[in-house]
Amino acid sequence: MSYIVATEQLSKRYGSRTVVDSLNLRIPAGCVYGFLGPNGSGKSTTMKMLLSLVRPSSGEVQVMGQPMNRGTRRRLLGHIGSLIESPPGYGHLTGRENIRLVQRLLDLRDEQIDQAVRTVRMQDQLDKKVRDYSLGMKQRLGIAMALARQPRLLILDEPTNGLDPAGIEEIRDLLRRLSDGGVTVMVSSHLLGEIDKTATVLGILSGGRLIFQGTRDELFAASTPDVLIDTPHPEYANTQLKGMVASRLDHGAVRVSGIGDQTTARVVAHLVGAGVDIYGVRRDEQSLEDVFMDLTGGGGL
Amino acid sequence: MGAVRAEFLKLKRSLSWTVVVLLPVAMVIAGAVNTLVSGSRPEDGWHTMWLRSVVFHGLFPLAIGIGILASLVWRVEHRGGNWNALMSGPTSALRIMASKAVVVAVLAAAMQAVLLLTVVVIGVVVFAIPGLPPGRYVGVSLLIMLACVPVAVLQSGLSMLMRSFAGPIAVAFLGAGAAVVLLLAGLDAAVFVIPYALISRATQLGTGTFGDTGAITGGDVASIVIGALVLTAALTTATTQILDRRDTRT
């Protein structure tokens, strides 16, 4: 598989504080890569290192097969659109003037500009000053400015932050359309639900470390769901399991966490041996949210 | 050229133009009011007018004015996501620094042109000084504009580094003060080291004030031109290096 972004042991330290720790990101070309993690887990810092806005303390970044550093960045950045932290835009200028700035700076054709503006549906808002835009409009203008150069890679840091549900849906729809058009999109969020439906590959960051990277199916497989034991005597069954596994009562059933198939068999045998009637043993239905919580240790959602 | 044109587009509806007009006009009018209040007239005609406006302007206000212009030009980049957008585009650090410096230098030159024009208008209308000012004032004004270029580069660099609006202006004030002291002490070589000394020296050219002899020699002109070129090249290289190595705030 060809990766449009790959990092090797990418780390960033500020003094003794490690913000990003030995990241090996692999972003396949053409995917929507959902970069998830609680606030403060190092997502923005990582994205800044991918763009060479911040230099890594150690490790390296490869973008489009070439090393990304201070010597090469300007050449590579011509093919990368990005929106990091708050959206850009000169408040004293209108949307159209802001777009024209980008056009002059990057020497773009009128069609490229028009297409970018239409993609984010901003063509009717361009004569207002950016100062008077809503946050959603600023985000869309920022994305249009990033798209105008027709990038191969788009890096968006929390693009749905502060948007209303309609705005969030619009961004999701936009990401899907861009991806269909062949652009690789990396998008970060601290809310799983926001990118759950759009991302094809997920990377989960916690405390500066990449704790998971892969498809959504792989993510489910990485986390073991709880075992639920249905019995008419849940209290008695629960006391029988004390000291053996982590169990608790849950709505008339016994919930056992973190056990594999072998242990499940031993638990059932033990309960049967103790004279507990067992009606059913099943794995819990797991939402992506649960998996995420499980992996990040419940941090900061 | 795209980067320079983009920079000029950013000046639309900017306060910079107000500074370009108001600062020199206010300086000349303040000088004229002082003269009128003291009940005197510019005894030496255009020479006195020039001393009380251009030379005075060159001591502090000019450096501060360029500082304000540079802070205004950079202020927008320190807002919102503009810094990240600026640094994650294909425009090189050299082109960014050069285009910003060009804009500040052009504004400073415009300020000098407004100053010259105001001196002529006030001289003719308020003091009825006979004739027009000597032609060499135009030549000296061009030299002052050239001398402003390294100051524009330096102030632009300071305003790039500091998010504070007033910080770089305070540096300009201190730098101009140091320059005055050095020139009073007769250390003309300061023009090769301190850009603020260069603008003070250029504004004093041919006036016989401070360390000036009163005559404009080829040596004087050459030292200002060489000082401006050397300092511009050195400061542009230094500020470009700093911008290129600098990390975005996290």
mmCIF file with all atom_site columns, all heavy atoms in Angstrom, chain A residues 180-195:
data_model
loop_
_atom_site.group_PDB
_atom_site.id
_atom_site.type_symbol
_atom_site.label_atom_id
_atom_site.label_alt_id
_atom_site.label_comp_id
_atom_site.label_asym_id
_atom_site.label_entity_id
_atom_site.label_seq_id
_atom_site.pdbx_PDB_ins_code
_atom_site.Cartn_x
_atom_site.Cartn_y
_atom_site.Cartn_z
_atom_site.occupancy
_atom_site.B_iso_or_equiv
_atom_site.pdbx_formal_charge
_atom_site.auth_seq_id
_atom_site.auth_comp_id
_atom_site.auth_asym_id
_atom_site.auth_atom_id
_atom_site.pdbx_PDB_model_num
ATOM 1   N N   . ASP A 1 180 ? -13.950 11.333 -2.479 1.00 0.00 ? 180 ASP A N   1
ATOM 2   C CA  . ASP A 1 180 ? -14.383 10.727 -3.748 1.00 0.00 ? 180 ASP A CA  1
ATOM 3   C C   . ASP A 1 180 ? -13.609 11.317 -4.912 1.00 0.00 ? 180 ASP A C   1
ATOM 4   O O   . ASP A 1 180 ? -13.369 10.656 -5.921 1.00 0.00 ? 180 ASP A O   1
ATOM 5   C CB  . ASP A 1 180 ? -15.886 10.943 -3.964 1.00 0.00 ? 180 ASP A CB  1
ATOM 6   C CG  . ASP A 1 180 ? -16.712 10.139 -2.960 1.00 0.00 ? 180 ASP A CG  1
ATOM 7   O OD1 . ASP A 1 180 ? -16.142 9.203  -2.369 1.00 0.00 ? 180 ASP A OD1 1
ATOM 8   O OD2 . ASP A 1 180 ? -17.896 10.464 -2.768 1.00 0.00 ? 180 ASP A OD2 1
ATOM 9   N N   . GLY A 1 181 ? -13.235 12.588 -4.781 1.00 0.00 ? 181 GLY A N   1
ATOM 10  C CA  . GLY A 1 181 ? -12.490 13.269 -5.836 1.00 0.00 ? 181 GLY A CA  1
ATOM 11  C C   . GLY A 1 181 ? -10.992 12.941 -5.815 1.00 0.00 ? 181 GLY A C   1
ATOM 12  O O   . GLY A 1 181 ? -10.223 13.514 -6.586 1.00 0.00 ? 181 GLY A O   1
ATOM 13  N N   . GLY A 1 182 ? -10.565 12.075 -4.893 1.00 0.00 ? 182 GLY A N   1
ATOM 14  C CA  . GLY A 1 182 ? -9.175  11.622 -4.908 1.00 0.00 ? 182 GLY A CA  1
ATOM 15  C C   . GLY A 1 182 ? -8.247  12.338 -3.942 1.00 0.00 ? 182 GLY A C   1
ATOM 16  O O   . GLY A 1 182 ? -7.050  12.077 -3.925 1.00 0.00 ? 182 GLY A O   1
ATOM 17  N N   . VAL A 1 183 ? -8.788  13.264 -3.126 1.00 0.00 ? 183 VAL A N   1
ATOM 18  C CA  . VAL A 1 183 ? -7.943  13.972 -2.162 1.00 0.00 ? 183 VAL A CA  1
ATOM 19  C C   . VAL A 1 183 ? -7.839  13.138 -0.884 1.00 0.00 ? 183 VAL A C   1
ATOM 20  O O   . VAL A 1 183 ? -8.842  12.605 -0.413 1.00 0.00 ? 183 VAL A O   1
ATOM 21  C CB  . VAL A 1 183 ? -8.550  15.351 -1.811 1.00 0.00 ? 183 VAL A CB  1
ATOM 22  C CG1 . VAL A 1 183 ? -7.682  16.096 -0.820 1.00 0.00 ? 183 VAL A CG1 1
ATOM 23  C CG2 . VAL A 1 183 ? -8.776  16.166 -3.067 1.00 0.00 ? 183 VAL A CG2 1
ATOM 24  N N   . THR A 1 184 ? -6.643  12.995 -0.358 1.00 0.00 ? 184 THR A N   1
ATOM 25  C CA  . THR A 1 184 ? -6.487  12.328 0.933  1.00 0.00 ? 184 THR A CA  1
ATOM 26  C C   . THR A 1 184 ? -6.774  13.355 2.023  1.00 0.00 ? 184 THR A C   1
ATOM 27  O O   . THR A 1 184 ? -6.239  14.465 1.979  1.00 0.00 ? 184 THR A O   1
ATOM 28  C CB  . THR A 1 184 ? -5.058  11.801 1.114  1.00 0.00 ? 184 THR A CB  1
ATOM 29  O OG1 . THR A 1 184 ? -4.721  11.022 -0.031 1.00 0.00 ? 184 THR A OG1 1
ATOM 30  C CG2 . THR A 1 184 ? -4.939  10.958 2.370  1.00 0.00 ? 184 THR A CG2 1
ATOM 31  N N   . VAL A 1 185 ? -7.621  13.011 2.964  1.00 0.00 ? 185 VAL A N   1
ATOM 32  C CA  . VAL A 1 185 ? -7.992  13.964 4.006  1.00 0.00 ? 185 VAL A CA  1
ATOM 33  C C   . VAL A 1 185 ? -7.581  13.410 5.371  1.00 0.00 ? 185 VAL A C   1
ATOM 34  O O   . VAL A 1 185 ? -7.888  12.266 5.693  1.00 0.00 ? 185 VAL A O   1
ATOM 35  C CB  . VAL A 1 185 ? -9.520  14.222 4.014  1.00 0.00 ? 185 VAL A CB  1
ATOM 36  C CG1 . VAL A 1 185 ? -9.866  15.275 5.055  1.00 0.00 ? 185 VAL A CG1 1
ATOM 37  C CG2 . VAL A 1 185 ? -10.016 14.656 2.650  1.00 0.00 ? 185 VAL A CG2 1
ATOM 38  N N   . MET A 1 186 ? -6.863  14.224 6.130  1.00 0.00 ? 186 MET A N   1
ATOM 39  C CA  . MET A 1 186 ? -6.590  13.874 7.522  1.00 0.00 ? 186 MET A CA  1
ATOM 40  C C   . MET A 1 186 ? -7.378  14.858 8.376  1.00 0.00 ? 186 MET A C   1
ATOM 41  O O   . MET A 1 186 ? -7.217  16.065 8.238  1.00 0.00 ? 186 MET A O   1
ATOM 42  C CB  . MET A 1 186 ? -5.102  14.006 7.829  1.00 0.00 ? 186 MET A CB  1
ATOM 43  C CG  . MET A 1 186 ? -4.752  13.666 9.268  1.00 0.00 ? 186 MET A CG  1
ATOM 44  S SD  . MET A 1 186 ? -3.067  14.129 9.666  1.00 0.00 ? 186 MET A SD  1
ATOM 45  C CE  . MET A 1 186 ? -2.790  13.137 11.132 1.00 0.00 ? 186 MET A CE  1
ATOM 46  N N   . VAL A 1 187 ? -8.246  14.344 9.234  1.00 0.00 ? 187 VAL A N   1
ATOM 47  C CA  . VAL A 1 187 ? -9.091  15.244 10.013 1.00 0.00 ? 187 VAL A CA  1
ATOM 48  C C   . VAL A 1 187 ? -9.051  14.831 11.478 1.00 0.00 ? 187 VAL A C   1
ATOM 49  O O   . VAL A 1 187 ? -9.156  13.656 11.802 1.00 0.00 ? 187 VAL A O   1
ATOM 50  C CB  . VAL A 1 187 ? -10.533 15.264 9.439  1.00 0.00 ? 187 VAL A CB  1
ATOM 51  C CG1 . VAL A 1 187 ? -11.108 13.866 9.323  1.00 0.00 ? 187 VAL A CG1 1
ATOM 52  C CG2 . VAL A 1 187 ? -11.453 16.145 10.252 1.00 0.00 ? 187 VAL A CG2 1
ATOM 53  N N   . SER A 1 188 ? -8.832  15.813 12.364 1.00 0.00 ? 188 SER A N   1
ATOM 54  C CA  . SER A 1 188 ? -8.740  15.476 13.787 1.00 0.00 ? 188 SER A CA  1
ATOM 55  C C   . SER A 1 188 ? -10.016 15.864 14.503 1.00 0.00 ? 188 SER A C   1
ATOM 56  O O   . SER A 1 188 ? -10.760 16.742 14.056 1.00 0.00 ? 188 SER A O   1
ATOM 57  C CB  . SER A 1 188 ? -7.568  16.210 14.434 1.00 0.00 ? 188 SER A CB  1
ATOM 58  O OG  . SER A 1 188 ? -7.889  17.566 14.622 1.00 0.00 ? 188 SER A OG  1
ATOM 59  N N   . SER A 1 189 ? -10.273 15.186 15.604 1.00 0.00 ? 189 SER A N   1
ATOM 60  C CA  . SER A 1 189 ? -11.404 15.543 16.446 1.00 0.00 ? 189 SER A CA  1
ATOM 61  C C   . SER A 1 189 ? -11.228 14.933 17.824 1.00 0.00 ? 189 SER A C   1
ATOM 62  O O   . SER A 1 189 ? -10.542 13.929 17.976 1.00 0.00 ? 189 SER A O   1
ATOM 63  C CB  . SER A 1 189 ? -12.709 15.041 15.837 1.00 0.00 ? 189 SER A CB  1
ATOM 64  O OG  . SER A 1 189 ? -13.796 15.431 16.653 1.00 0.00 ? 189 SER A OG  1
ATOM 65  N N   . HIS A 1 190 ? -11.823 15.560 18.832 1.00 0.00 ? 190 HIS A N   1
ATOM 66  C CA  . HIS A 1 190 ? -11.851 14.927 20.146 1.00 0.00 ? 190 HIS A CA  1
ATOM 67  C C   . HIS A 1 190 ? -13.193 14.244 20.344 1.00 0.00 ? 190 HIS A C   1
ATOM 68  O O   . HIS A 1 190 ? -13.426 13.607 21.353 1.00 0.00 ? 190 HIS A O   1
ATOM 69  C CB  . HIS A 1 190 ? -11.559 15.932 21.257 1.00 0.00 ? 190 HIS A CB  1
ATOM 70  C CG  . HIS A 1 190 ? -12.575 17.020 21.373 1.00 0.00 ? 190 HIS A CG  1
ATOM 71  N ND1 . HIS A 1 190 ? -12.652 18.058 20.468 1.00 0.00 ? 190 HIS A ND1 1
ATOM 72  C CD2 . HIS A 1 190 ? -13.556 17.222 22.276 1.00 0.00 ? 190 HIS A CD2 1
ATOM 73  C CE1 . HIS A 1 190 ? -13.641 18.851 20.825 1.00 0.00 ? 190 HIS A CE1 1
ATOM 74  N NE2 . HIS A 1 190 ? -14.201 18.375 21.907 1.00 0.00 ? 190 HIS A NE2 1
ATOM 75  N N   . LEU A 1 191 ? -14.099 14.393 19.375 1.00 0.00 ? 191 LEU A N   1
ATOM 76  C CA  . LEU A 1 191 ? -15.407 13.749 19.447 1.00 0.00 ? 191 LEU A CA  1
ATOM 77  C C   . LEU A 1 191 ? -15.496 12.658 18.391 1.00 0.00 ? 191 LEU A C   1
ATOM 78  O O   . LEU A 1 191 ? -15.479 12.942 17.196 1.00 0.00 ? 191 LEU A O   1
ATOM 79  C CB  . LEU A 1 191 ? -16.518 14.778 19.225 1.00 0.00 ? 191 LEU A CB  1
ATOM 80  C CG  . LEU A 1 191 ? -16.579 15.898 20.253 1.00 0.00 ? 191 LEU A CG  1
ATOM 81  C CD1 . LEU A 1 191 ? -17.552 16.972 19.809 1.00 0.00 ? 191 LEU A CD1 1
ATOM 82  C CD2 . LEU A 1 191 ? -16.974 15.350 21.610 1.00 0.00 ? 191 LEU A CD2 1
ATOM 83  N N   . LEU A 1 192 ? -15.588 11.431 18.864 1.00 0.00 ? 192 LEU A N   1
ATOM 84  C CA  . LEU A 1 192 ? -15.621 10.299 17.961 1.00 0.00 ? 192 LEU A CA  1
ATOM 85  C C   . LEU A 1 192 ? -16.791 10.390 16.986 1.00 0.00 ? 192 LEU A C   1
ATOM 86  O O   . LEU A 1 192 ? -16.637 10.170 15.783 1.00 0.00 ? 192 LEU A O   1
ATOM 87  C CB  . LEU A 1 192 ? -15.709 9.016  18.782 1.00 0.00 ? 192 LEU A CB  1
ATOM 88  C CG  . LEU A 1 192 ? -15.827 7.731  17.993 1.00 0.00 ? 192 LEU A CG  1
ATOM 89  C CD1 . LEU A 1 192 ? -14.613 7.574  17.103 1.00 0.00 ? 192 LEU A CD1 1
ATOM 90  C CD2 . LEU A 1 192 ? -15.945 6.563  18.937 1.00 0.00 ? 192 LEU A CD2 1
ATOM 91  N N   . GLY A 1 193 ? -17.969 10.731 17.509 1.00 0.00 ? 193 GLY A N   1
ATOM 92  C CA  . GLY A 1 193 ? -19.175 10.757 16.689 1.00 0.00 ? 193 GLY A CA  1
ATOM 93  C C   . GLY A 1 193 ? -19.061 11.651 15.471 1.00 0.00 ? 193 GLY A C   1
ATOM 94  O O   . GLY A 1 193 ? -19.700 11.412 14.459 1.00 0.00 ? 193 GLY A O   1
ATOM 95  N N   . GLU A 1 194 ? -18.209 12.683 15.579 1.00 0.00 ? 194 GLU A N   1
ATOM 96  C CA  . GLU A 1 194 ? -18.120 13.643 14.481 1.00 0.00 ? 194 GLU A CA  1
ATOM 97  C C   . GLU A 1 194 ? -17.433 13.093 13.245 1.00 0.00 ? 194 GLU A C   1
ATOM 98  O O   . GLU A 1 194 ? -17.707 13.539 12.135 1.00 0.00 ? 194 GLU A O   1
ATOM 99  C CB  . GLU A 1 194 ? -17.379 14.903 14.953 1.00 0.00 ? 194 GLU A CB  1
ATOM 100 C CG  . GLU A 1 194 ? -18.289 15.822 15.712 1.00 0.00 ? 194 GLU A CG  1
ATOM 101 C CD  . GLU A 1 194 ? -17.608 17.108 16.104 1.00 0.00 ? 194 GLU A CD  1
ATOM 102 O OE1 . GLU A 1 194 ? -16.455 17.313 15.684 1.00 0.00 ? 194 GLU A OE1 1
ATOM 103 O OE2 . GLU A 1 194 ? -18.240 17.886 16.814 1.00 0.00 ? 194 GLU A OE2 1
ATOM 104 N N   . ILE A 1 195 ? -16.505 12.155 13.430 1.00 0.00 ? 195 ILE A N   1
ATOM 105 C CA  . ILE A 1 195 ? -15.815 11.666 12.239 1.00 0.00 ? 195 ILE A CA  1
ATOM 106 C C   . ILE A 1 195 ? -16.008 10.167 12.029 1.00 0.00 ? 195 ILE A C   1
ATOM 107 O O   . ILE A 1 195 ? -15.579 9.608  11.033 1.00 0.00 ? 195 ILE A O   1
ATOM 108 C CB  . ILE A 1 195 ? -14.312 12.004 12.244 1.00 0.00 ? 195 ILE A CB  1
ATOM 109 C CG1 . ILE A 1 195 ? -13.662 11.578 13.535 1.00 0.00 ? 195 ILE A CG1 1
ATOM 110 C CG2 . ILE A 1 195 ? -14.084 13.464 11.989 1.00 0.00 ? 195 ILE A CG2 1
ATOM 111 C CD1 . ILE A 1 195 ? -12.169 11.833 13.512 1.00 0.00 ? 195 ILE A CD1 1
#
